[in-house]
Amino acid sequence: SYTLLSVVNPILENGGKQINVLDFGGACGAHYFHLRSLINSSLKLNWVVVETPTMVKYAKELENDELKFFDNFSEAKAYLGNVDFIHTSGTLQCVDKPKQYLDYILDCNAKWILFSRLGLSKKNKDVITIHTSKLSWNGIGELPEGHQDKWVKYPFTFSSETNFLNSIKSKYEIKAHFHDSSGMFEVNGEEIVGYGVLCKSIAV
């Protein structure tokens, strides 16, 4: 959220009254609620979360005048109109087609993009593996009542760092690069790196 503030503060300083945010993989809006608690209410957060259909179904009850949920980029982008900022945290590793979703992100033509909790392969190839974790590790807070903790497995893709950065640099300049290993784990025989990048549109 403090990196989000690095983008929000200049808008406030320039007299901005609203920022349009697309949060890809933002679950039930935790990042929105945290940032909302940190900034003055004079700035409106027009915030949309793009999530799975199931997540959107259950998150709808949290919607308000600032926060909305969609299960696809086209509807989210149409709702926002101009996208000031895209935030995504550890999401590209978990989708079935990371390159396609990266293209969706870039095609939104946002002024700023924050990729945090990245996990990338140092080789010129994607590394696809199976990630095993406890159900309780996949979210904030305790498990809902009636749900028992258990081990879960799901595909995880570490995209080629070279291909990822080449895609980014076709439209964006990387303004900040910070260490963040929380979106990666060791894979035998592979070199995986974790970090985050804050990107500014070349067109801005």
Side-chain angles (χ1 to χ4, degrees), residues 86-157:
I86 292 178
H87 173 254
T88 182
S89 177
T91 306
L92 287 176
Q93 296 95 296
C94 300
V95 296
D96 55 347
K97 298 176 180 178
K99 178 59 169 65
Q100 185 178 82
Y101 280 97
L102 177 58
D103 288 342
Y104 289 157
I105 290 171
L106 299 178
D107 288 345
C108 288
N109 296 315
K111 297 173 185 175
W112 293 87
I113 305 177
L114 173 62
F115 295 93
S116 62
R117 304 186 65 242
L118 286 168
L120 300 168
S121 165
K122 292 294 289 184
K123 297 181 180 179
N124 290 323
K125 66 174 184 178
D126 293 349
V127 174
I128 303 173
T129 185
I130 300 297
H131 185 34
T132 302
S133 68
K134 279 290 190 73
L135 183 62
S136 58
W137 299 351
N138 293 270
I140 299 172
E142 301 293 329
L143 284 173
E145 186 177 348
H147 288 75
Q148 189 172 13
D149 204 5
K150 61 181 180 179
W151 289 101
V152 292
K153 297 182 178 182
Y154 43 91
F156 223 70
T157 302

Side-chain angles (χ1 to χ4, degrees), residues 146-178:
H147 288 75
Q148 189 172 13
D149 204 5
K150 61 181 180 179
W151 289 101
V152 292
K153 297 182 178 182
Y154 43 91
F156 223 70
T157 302
F158 296 111
S159 299
S160 160
E161 180 185 34
T162 298
N163 294 339
F164 173 81
L165 292 176
N166 285 342
S167 294
I168 295 298
K169 291 176 181 178
S170 66
K171 288 188 174 183
Y172 288 84
E173 177 185 2
I174 295 177
K175 303 297 288 186
H177 185 289
F178 51 94

Side-chain angles (χ1 to χ4, degrees):
S1 294
Y2 295 103
T3 309
L4 292 174
L5 282 173
S6 68
V7 177
V8 171
N9 281 336
I11 295 174
L12 279 172
E13 292 168 0
N14 291 328
K17 299 298 183 183
Q18 176 175 302
I19 180 170
N20 296 337
V21 181
L22 190 155
D23 190 359
F24 176 47
C28 290
H31 296 292
Y32 159 78
F33 289 109
H34 190 194
L35 187 61
R36 176 76 278 170
S37 70
L38 296 175
I39 63 173
N40 193 290
S41 60
S42 63
L43 177 67
K44 180 180 179 183
L45 294 175
N46 195 23
W47 192 293
V48 301
V49 173
V50 176
E51 260 291 354
T52 64
T54 300
M55 181 67 78
V56 170
K57 175 184 176 181
Y58 289 99
K60 281 285 187 181
E61 65 183 53
L62 298 173
E63 288 189 340
N64 57 37
D65 290 343
E66 293 187 326
L67 177 65
K68 305 295 178 185
F69 295 89
F70 296 92
D71 62 12
N72 64 84
F73 273 86
S74 59
E75 289 184 15
K77 184 181 177 182
Y79 176 82
L80 286 176
N82 294 324
V83 183
D84 294 312
F85 184 67
I86 292 178
H87 173 254
T88 182
S89 177
T91 306
L92 287 176
Q93 296 95 296
C94 300
V95 296
D96 55 347
K97 298 176 180 178
K99 178 59 169 65
Q100 185 178 82
Y101 280 97
L102 177 58
D103 288 342
Y104 289 157
I105 290 171
L106 299 178
D107 288 345
C108 288
N109 296 315
K111 297 173 185 175
W112 293 87
I113 305 177
L114 173 62
F115 295 93
S116 62
R117 304 186 65 242
L118 286 168
L120 300 168
S121 165
K122 292 294 289 184
K123 297 181 180 179
N124 290 323
K125 66 174 184 178
D126 293 349
V127 174
I128 303 173
T129 185
I130 300 297
H131 185 34
T132 302
S133 68
K134 279 290 190 73
L135 183 62
S136 58
W137 299 351
N138 293 270
I140 299 172
E142 301 293 329
L143 284 173
E145 186 177 348
H147 288 75
Q148 189 172 13
D149 204 5
K150 61 181 180 179
W151 289 101
V152 292
K153 297 182 178 182
Y154 43 91
F156 223 70
T157 302
F158 296 111
S159 299
S160 160
E161 180 185 34
T162 298
N163 294 339
F164 173 81
L165 292 176
N166 285 342
S167 294
I168 295 298
K169 291 176 181 178
S170 66
K171 288 188 174 183
Y172 288 84
E173 177 185 2
I174 295 177
K175 303 297 288 186
H177 185 289
F178 51 94
H179 177 74
D180 183 353
S181 61
S182 61
M184 57 164 283
F185 53 84
E186 292 186 5
V187 179
N188 290 337
E190 304 292 347
E191 187 177 0
I192 308 298
V193 293
Y195 54 81
V197 287
L198 178 63
C199 310
K200 183 179 182 180
S201 172
I202 295 171
V204 175

